[in-house]
Each structure stands twice: as structure tokens, then as C-alpha cells.
Amino acid sequence: MNSNITDQLKEKYEAIGQDLEVHLEGLLHSKPITYWDYINTDALLNLQIQRTTLPDEMVFIAYHQINELIFKMILWEIEQVAEKEVLTAVFFEDKLMRISRYFDMLTTSFNIMREGMDREQYNKFRHTLTPASGFQSGQYRLIEFASTELINLIDYRFRKTIDRNTPFEHALDHLYWQAAGKDYKTGEKSILLINFEKKYKEEFITFMKTYNTKNLWSRFKELSEVDKKDKDLIKAMRHYDYTVNVTWVMAHYNAAKHYILGKDGDGEATGGSDWQKYMHPKYQKRIFFPDLWTEKEIEAWGTNI
């Protein structure tokens, strides 16, 4: 064995109070790694459990599980920006473009759903999903919290009444997606929203507090004046913002229209939400980085795609 490597290993384990010889002895009895063990292929491929006998339900399940894995990768990249002690425009741009590529892939992947499932089958098995909904992706909400300040996620009707001093629980109750699960005239929540909050409310509030000052928008504003004017970084910020809040959302919206409003669809979302007004970006104008857009661009948000 290379003595230099041995010395480095000894130094590594001594630093944490461990004996290198013990760890080397452990290697004598360890099994060689295989691809399927490392990736946990068998476990992964046994997570697709259908509720019906309709073949295309497998496409639906696997597709959404892949989305959740991509969301995990996106959160992983955002966390690195959030935790970076010395943040530069170059590092920021690199991470943003990684994230944007993930969302670009998610956007184009909607063709798998749109063209890859039989519409008649979908409109049969989808009723077994009630009251579940893609609305209930907790990771997607975390991505939003980690991307911008909470005020930019508040329901457009209530933004003037909420500021940074508003309690997090109150802010949570007025986020834009609450409109999909709550009747604001009566205040009554749908079972969709009740189940969602029961599962994630405490996690969301903790996460909101954590990312209150280190979300992508807040971190951008901490950069030096020179870095904040970096053309490549601004381009990356705008691309990410538009990709997530317009391009990806509209691809999702159009896929939903294809099935829910198609000849076999009934127009109702499985979770019972007013999905058209909730999803379409022109209604809520969700914008992560508002200062990077002109008034004209904001006014036309989501209307020209």
C-alpha cells in the first residue's frame, strides 16, 4: 500500500479518535460493492404499487416517483447555496443552472404523461386516487420556500396585509396554494388541504424559519454589488424563475387539461381543487426574484406561453 495513503488514513482516523488498524481489519470481512447494492435497485423497483389493474397506472406512479427524486436533487443543490459561507456569482450561477436543467427535464418529461398514458385508462384509475393530488408534493413546497422570500409566495390578494413580522403560521395559512384547498368565503378547508397540513405543517414552519434569511433570493441580495450585476448570474436567476413558475407550471397545466378536460375527463381534480386558477401563473403571479423583472414583464407573467 502506498505509504502516503496509509499516513493520510491514519491521520484521518486519529482526528476522530479511531484506530486505523480496526478499520482495516473490518475491510477484510466486507463484501465487494455491486451496482445493485449501491443504488438499492431492488428496493427502488418494488416501490411502484398499483391500486388498479389498469396497465398505464404504472406509468403514472413511476413518473411521479421520478419527479420526487428530481425534487430531492434540486433541494440538495439549493442547500449548498444556502449554506455557502463565501458565496460568489460563479458558484451561485453554477448551482442555479444545475437546478434549471433539472426543471428543464421535468418540463419536457410531461410528454411522457401526455402521450404515454391512455386517456380512458387514466380517467378510470384517477378516481381511485381521490382525495390525493400532486398538490400534496411536500418537496415541491420546500423548493418554493428555499427559493424566495415568503411574501412572494403569499396569495396575491393578501400580500399587502402581510410582511416579515407576520407569524410563520399565519403566513402559511395565506400562501398562494391555500386557494386550491380552502374556501376563503367560509374559511373551510378541503380534505385535500387538511391531510396535507396534518402531514407537513410542522415541517413546513420549521423549514420556513430556517430558510427565511438564506433562501436563494435572500442570498442573492447578500452578494457584493459587482456580483449582483453579473450578467451570467442574472440570466441564470431569470431562467430559473421563469422555468419553475411559468414553463414547468404551464407544461403541468396543459397535461392536466389534456386528461381532465378531454372528452373522457370530468373537469374535476382528484383533490377537488380549483386547479385551473391555482395552477395557471397569470392568476397568482408567482415570481421568485421580482426585482429582476420589469413591470411590463410582471404584468404579462404567464400570458404569452
Side-chain angles (χ1 to χ4, degrees):
M1 181 183 290
N2 187 308
S3 60
N4 185 45
I5 293 177
T6 305
D7 291 341
Q8 289 180 49
L9 285 170
K10 186 175 182 180
E11 183 180 344
K12 171 185 174 180
Y13 286 109
E14 284 181 349
I16 58 174
Q18 294 287 299
D19 185 347
L20 172 61
E21 293 292 330
V22 174
H23 286 271
L24 290 176
E25 185 178 349
L27 288 175
L28 290 174
H29 309 290
S30 65
K31 295 188 298 183
I33 192 69
T34 61
Y35 171 83
W36 50 90
D37 286 336
Y38 182 67
I39 302 298
N40 282 306
T41 309
D42 292 341
L44 186 64
L45 297 182
N46 278 288
L47 294 175
Q48 297 74 45
I49 302 172
Q50 292 181 248
R51 294 174 62 88
T52 73
T53 58
L54 298 163
D56 281 358
E57 186 189 2
M58 179 61 74
V59 178
F60 188 83
I61 294 170
Y63 176 80
H64 283 82
Q65 289 182 346
I66 291 168
N67 278 2
E68 292 294 336
L69 288 173
I70 298 297
F71 289 160
K72 181 174 183 176
M73 294 166 75
I74 290 168
L75 285 166
W76 182 255
E77 298 293 346
I78 293 177
E79 181 182 0
Q80 293 178 64
V81 176
E83 301 297 339
K84 186 73 170 177
E85 290 187 15
V86 181
L87 186 61
T88 64
V90 173
F91 182 87
F92 207 146
E93 181 204 351
D94 177 67
K95 295 302 180 185
L96 277 174
M97 292 313 297
R98 287 191 188 187
I99 297 165
S100 291
R101 283 191 290 272
Y102 291 140
F103 266 108
D104 288 339
M105 181 173 68
L106 289 171
T107 299
T108 57
S109 74
F110 271 109
N111 287 331
I112 294 172
M113 284 263 286
R114 183 176 177 129
E115 309 300 334
M117 290 193 306
D118 180 83
R119 191 175 344 200
E120 184 177 354
Q121 285 189 40
Y122 172 77
N123 282 298
K124 287 180 179 178
F125 74 69
R126 67 187 293 266
H127 291 296
T128 69
L129 309 180
T130 305
S133 167
F135 168 97
Q136 295 172 316
S137 171
Q139 285 199 113
Y140 184 68
R141 303 305 167 197
L142 297 182
I143 290 170
E144 292 181 318
F145 296 148
S147 294
T148 191
E149 295 173 348
L150 281 177
I151 190 63
N152 298 319
L153 300 174
I154 297 296
D155 188 306
Y156 206 69
R157 298 169 293 174
F158 306 111
R159 289 184 190 176
K160 291 182 179 179
T161 65
I162 290 179
D163 57 33
R164 291 190 67 84
N165 296 318
T166 299
F168 287 101
E169 186 163 353
H170 182 73
L172 181 66
D173 282 337
H174 290 80
L175 293 173
Y176 80 90
W177 42 262
Q178 291 273 347
K182 182 190 294 182
D183 184 333
Y184 273 100
K185 291 181 180 179
T186 65
E188 185 176 349
K189 296 181 180 181
S190 67
I191 189 66
L192 167 81
L193 188 55
I194 291 171
N195 288 341
F196 189 47
E197 290 186 339
K198 184 177 181 180
K199 169 69 175 174
Y200 290 114
K201 184 175 181 178
E202 294 305 317
E203 179 184 349
F204 283 173
I205 291 176
T206 299
F207 194 88
M208 289 159 67
K209 291 178 180 178
T210 301
Y211 275 84
N212 187 41
T213 56
K214 62 180 183 180
N215 57 75
L216 293 178
W217 185 223
S218 293
R219 296 245 54 194
F220 174 81
K221 292 193 289 187
E222 291 174 8
L223 294 172
S224 69
E225 291 304 314
V226 173
D227 277 354
K228 281 192 285 190
K229 294 177 182 177
D230 185 283
K231 292 182 179 179
D232 290 332
L233 176 56
I234 291 174
K235 183 178 179 180
M237 296 282 284
R238 284 168 55 93
H239 177 73
Y240 173 63
D241 203 350
Y242 196 83
T243 298
V244 177
N245 290 314
V246 177
T247 311
W248 184 78
V249 171
M250 286 305 298
H252 192 178
Y253 177 83
N254 288 327
K257 279 178 60 179
H258 176 73
Y259 287 102
I260 298 176
L261 296 182
K263 65 178 183 177
D264 299 317
D266 57 14
E268 295 292 329
T270 52
S273 66
D274 186 357
W275 62 275
Q276 294 187 68
K277 287 190 176 181
Y278 149 66
M279 289 180 67
H280 204 296
K282 70 180 181 181
Y283 292 109
Q284 287 289 345
K285 295 187 184 297
R286 299 185 296 278
I287 303 174
F288 290 155
F289 317 129
D291 292 356
L292 301 184
W293 302 92
T294 66
E295 289 185 13
K296 186 177 181 180
E297 287 172 325
I298 292 174
E299 182 63 29
W301 195 257
T303 61
N304 56 358
I305 188 170

